[in-house]
């Protein structure tokens, strides 16, 4: 049995609060159960050196956990003097996922940096970050659209992410920390509003998995992500209207 | 005129919320106007190498700002690969200030690490961190006292901090960011509940200051700090009763 | 048309040479077309700190490319002073994949470190590294088995990996560098000799992909990996006989 | 009783030797008792990036101790790979203090870097560094004035610094290492020739201090600093004549 | 007796294979006995900042050992985050030696970077690197000469290097690892085709050496290097014809 | 003509002042013309990890230049975050040279660390450091011998070092900075009191050198070093009596 009687295919309670930071061009405080992430979007009128002169924009993400976001305190990466492999992997994933639904040409020579800072961690911090980062980016681009005349609206589709896993032969949606540490198979999926896959990352370090299990995991993930996208749409309301519009 | 008609000797609205993090032994979300800091206290049953074998405890602090806590985005210190001088200076100050009112002998061979993470910055982040860190530490030591029989209660006194400055010949209490950037003299003061000084740090980089100005600054700071300590006492209630008890 | 008339589901020529290094406990020089990787396995009679006292072993991997393995020269990570996110991601992947088919309990308190050094890169360096690393590890454990009486043979199954991708609506197996840079979807798959998935990592940064495409990619990967495992078995011969034996 | 019968308000013997380095634009070897610091001033015709295009100059300071400047050997910061918080704090202090009496507009787009290298440390290394750094800077600006026609002389006032402390209820001026390690309160004060405060940094880590103690400390510091400035004036002679001239 | 009956003044078997890397402008796989080094030469049409605007080129070298090139595994320098002193010393030596026979003026504003990666180490890795690096550089400059009209051919002379040492009063040429670790005196010599010295580095850490021993060491080295240069000439054939031509 | 009519085989004026630092177990301020180096010797009753349990001692050296020891200011290595290759090369050389005349067995499990800090640089800083470091070490071991009963005196011989070079076909002894920058061949030699070589490092980056030149260089160096050793003996007087005694 899951905590608070949650069903195998049920998400934890989701909260998405908009504009929680007074300086950022877009900001979101997102909670999935006890996992809490602050996502801020910063817009700058320049692109990184490797993108210069292409007339295209760039989306970049950074991810970090506060030292006591977790059950025991983690050393700060600033004190260690370098990022862990886990952090690098996650921030590369978030950036890649966001870029998949952005029309960089339409955005023009601008960089949007999304910072995902995990205030409290209870499983699914990378997937929650993606779901929140999308909304923070949407707010920033909407704000930008009030001053800039875009040829096409730069956001092509909605985007959200969720984790799924296998515990004792059962597929579960949206694992919390305790479940995650018991899961034999662990998968993170990112999908668009139109139901396509952007990232599928499944790992069976503790036990390789069959094609049937893979199929079941993908179905749970797909349903969970579509629920999250409904939530994003409701929260953004009017602001989200131009997303994916032709 | 100050924002919202604030008087020269008036604090910004103060909010101190207790136990906002589910894992930390003590946690506080503190706001002074638009400055917001999350302070968590972590208790560990060991001391750093240089303190070993002395039968005494240690209090340590770390300080960081989220990248978009400020008007423009700051590069993460983890990405730079090292802490800035400003961060080191602030975290040394917080640790030193807290140790001044802790009986390390009474605490025993334990380390309490206070993490001060600035969620949003609008001036006074180091003084707000100290005021909040004291409360987070008080919560952690209170919790510890429920399992450990202390010979003496390890907290000898209350502690809070505020900034003061001089703008156009006028002394002002609790500067926000805009005021801070105009101030010719800038001073941070840390005091105890019994009205003694723990730290006095005054800087006149833009204009050296006279002994009279110094006196006026100290008076404003003293009054502001005593207000903050009243606030701390009300917020802690019963939990604070043993602080400073003989 | 693919280079040298390769079919969409055809692997590049594979070469696996055993014991190419005179010092390492196991070593393999593997080539997939023009991609060349030297894999060495080092056995040490101790485990990393976080594994101590559990009676279990550990498998660790490191990955690096020589600076001129690629078309233009890359700066050495030793000169930069830190690993790139890409390198960290790859070496975490290789280690995780190998551990999935090793019985760490049976291995006992030993660490096997697999170094994968890319001598020349023409696409698929991470998947080629995994396929070669498995063989180097098998050689090292076989050698170890001549002096150590294992309760169970520590390798539970064969393991290999391949990349697949989508170019112009077509699914292709084992992409070389030129194909890889044109692919809209890119997927790396790691599977066991018994046909189970260990890692599935699909990315559609340039174009999200449908469930049908995902299915086709997995089928191509599965067939390619089974061919590689046949090759591994032939190369290892007698040495591989105890792998997966009950 | 203090070493060699020193009175509570008496400085240690002060020596300031000019031009001890053949390359630097200004250089000073300063001794306060057994504390010995070499200060060199380097003038460059450019400013750091953040100061560009403002028509103003910049003063920067660096501070370091030789590894055996102290009773036991300290690891070099170059070998550790990073500066300690203490070093950063001190060099920020020295730079800030010097800038307070320099007219950066009058200096023009030049940077003066003051290096303070502690050859031997016996307490008061940061205050001795400031007193010596001022003289080294004065030499460099005097030399510059022989080739450059300044609209106003860039040095507005003299500047010196001293430490004061409380040991067993007594206020002492200019603490040596042994006294410093016994002091309950420790204060560093920087003042100008015209008697204004530039920095006041008092710390009561071991015992908070009262307003009365603070007043007594400031009086001792003020008298000590004025003696040091007399010494600076005598040493500089004609070279110092234009300092603070209208 | 030396391994396989080698005489005191006999080189180990030498193999030099050309163009072993498909991307580099010049590449060489060189073996001296069991020491194996891959040398690649990269040509870039720019020079480092300190050489700009002089109309001259630059030759730079980097050196590294694969972690399991040696009997026990060495930690990667990329993982340590910095180069060892030994590596820096060796790559400075290789670069300096190559520059001694290159006409940088004739080369023009180009940088040639030679990467020497030790695949397997059995003594003499730095001298083998120099001998191989020369050939890789010669290939790259020859290739360049097919597109660029040089006023003078940029390579003035051949260059090779060998180690010599003293074991039990006997002088030995070209020490392998086992001999090297027993040698009381250890010397690396770099010479040109015309018999001049470019580098002489002799060390008697374990036992200072006499002038007579020094003379004997130099004679052995000279003969060994001339043999290596014969080998280089045969291997390069036509490609080497313009080297040193007036 | 050399500065101040110096002959080709004449040393610059040498000054060696003993015990110039009040804390170090041995200290020397050495000057060769305008090159000034402070050498301090620190004795510790432990050895580095790789020497543990062998009953032997260790000699280690560190070298650094103050930022304005040179004509233009150099960035501090502590600010760069890492040592340059030049510094590493020099400190390895100093340590190796000192160890060549120390009986590490006789010294017992102790480490002597010699810090060579260049206060002012005018050529020959590494050779001057070695000559001074030897004396600082001799002072420290003499002091140690007053408390420790050595089976054999741990210093086997005197040791000094000098540079030689070739300018316009002429061999010169003890080059200053200006000469050094014009020299085509540059050689550093370290020798013992009994006339044996410890290090010979000759470099002809700008022009390879013949065997005859090499011979002439060695003769000049030998004579110069023997003069320096006479100077060391006179300066040490009684303290040096046991050096090399049987």
């Amino acid at each position: 049995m899951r905590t608070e009687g949650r069903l195998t295919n049920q998400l934890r309670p989701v909260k998405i609060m908009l504009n929680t930071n007074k300086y950022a061009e877009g900001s979101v405080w997102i909670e999935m159960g006890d996992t809490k992430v602050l996502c801020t979007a910063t817009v700058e009128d320049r692109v990184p050196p490797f993108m210069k002169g292409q007339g295209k924009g760039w989306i970049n993400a950074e991810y970090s956990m506060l030292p006591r976001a977790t059950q025991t305190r983690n050393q700060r990466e600033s004190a260690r003097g370098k990022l862990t492999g886990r952090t690098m992997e996650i921030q590369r994933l978030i950036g890649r996922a966001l870029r998949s639904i952005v029309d960089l040409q339409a955005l023009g020579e601008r960089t949007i940096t999304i910072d995902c800072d995990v205030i409290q961690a209870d499983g699914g911090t990378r997937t929650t970050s993606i779901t929140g980062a999308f909304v923070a980016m949407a707010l920033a681009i909407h704000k930008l659209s009030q001053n800039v005349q875009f040829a096409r609206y730069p956001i092509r589709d909605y985007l959200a992410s969720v984790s799924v896993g296998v515990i004792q032969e059962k597929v579960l949606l949206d694992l919390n920390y305790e479940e995650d540490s018991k899961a034999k198979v662990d998968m993170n999926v990112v999908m668009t509003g139109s139901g396509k896959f952007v990232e599928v990352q499944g790992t069976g370090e503790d036990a390789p998995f069959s094609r049937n299990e893979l199929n079941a995991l993908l179905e749970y993930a797909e349903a969970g992500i579509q629920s999250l996208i409904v939530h994003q749409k409701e929260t953004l309301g009017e602001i989200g209207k131009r997303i994916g519009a032709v």
Side-chain angles (χ1 to χ4, degrees), chain A:
Chain A
M1 279 296 295
R2 307 184 80 179
T3 319
E4 302 175 25
R6 201 153 48 109
L7 305 179
T8 58
N9 66 349
Q10 197 180 346
L11 295 173
R12 292 176 285 178
V14 186
K15 268 195 230 170
I16 302 180
M17 278 167 285
L18 306 187
N19 300 314
T20 59
N21 172 296
K22 74 184 265 199
Y23 303 119
E25 284 73 45
S27 61
V28 161
W29 178 285
I30 183 171
E31 302 185 2
M32 298 277 291
D34 280 340
T35 290
K36 302 177 185 182
V37 184
L38 175 56
C39 305
T40 57
T42 297
V43 179
E44 288 165 302
D45 280 335
R46 53 191 169 81
V47 288
F50 68 92
M51 289 295 290
K52 266 189 194 148
Q54 303 181 32
K56 292 165 62 177
W58 190 245
I59 310 291
N60 194 34
E62 296 197 2
Y63 167 96
S64 184
M65 290 212 292
L66 295 196
R68 199 57 199 277
T70 45
Q71 291 194 293
T72 56
R73 186 177 182 272
N74 284 300
Q75 195 191 6
R76 286 176 195 268
E77 291 174 307
S78 56
R80 292 177 77 234
K82 53 183 177 182
L83 301 180
T84 61
R86 179 183 176 276
T87 291
M88 288 212 196
E89 206 169 295
I90 293 175
Q91 56 193 25
R92 282 158 56 91
L93 167 65
I94 302 172
R96 215 160 55 217
L98 293 173
R99 287 191 298 273
S100 76
I101 45 81
V102 171
D103 182 334
L104 297 175
Q105 201 81 46
L107 182 60
E109 290 221 346
R110 292 179 182 89
T111 299
I112 303 183
T113 302
I114 313 291
D115 287 290
C116 300
D117 285 273
V118 179
I119 304 295
Q120 193 170 274
D122 189 24
T125 64
R126 79 185 70 186
T127 52
T128 304
S129 292
I130 291 170
T131 304
F134 173 80
V135 180
M137 186 183 73
L139 290 173
I141 288 180
H142 173 74
K143 191 173 171 191
L144 201 54
S145 74
Q146 296 174 325
N147 300 305
V148 174
Q149 191 68 27
F150 289 121
R152 297 178 303 285
Y153 199 69
I155 310 183
R156 287 196 285 243
D157 206 343
Y158 275 82
L159 184 92
S161 177
V162 83
S163 76
V164 282
V166 178
I167 301 183
Q168 297 172 334
E169 318 295 306
K170 252 188 247 160
V171 172
L172 296 184
L173 175 67
D174 186 22
L175 283 62
N176 67 17
Y177 175 76
E178 200 196 330
E179 292 168 343
D180 190 51
S181 54
K182 284 186 291 192
K184 291 291 172 190
V185 181
D186 179 25
M187 180 171 275
N188 295 300
V189 181
V190 186
M191 294 184 83
T192 63
S194 53
K196 292 211 159 182
F197 294 98
V198 166
E199 291 275 343
V200 174
Q201 298 198 338
T203 291
E205 179 173 342
D206 294 315
F209 51 101
S210 67
R211 184 65 187 272
N212 282 345
E213 283 172 311
L214 177 53
N215 288 342
L217 286 161
L218 291 171
E219 272 144 39
Y220 269 59
E222 185 165 358
I225 289 172
Q226 293 315 320
S227 295
L228 287 169
I229 288 177
V230 167
H231 202 98
Q232 288 176 331
K233 285 183 178 167
E234 285 171 6
T235 308
L236 282 173
E238 278 302 310
I239 293 169
K241 281 284 155 62
R242 294 182 63 193
I243 295 173
V246 192

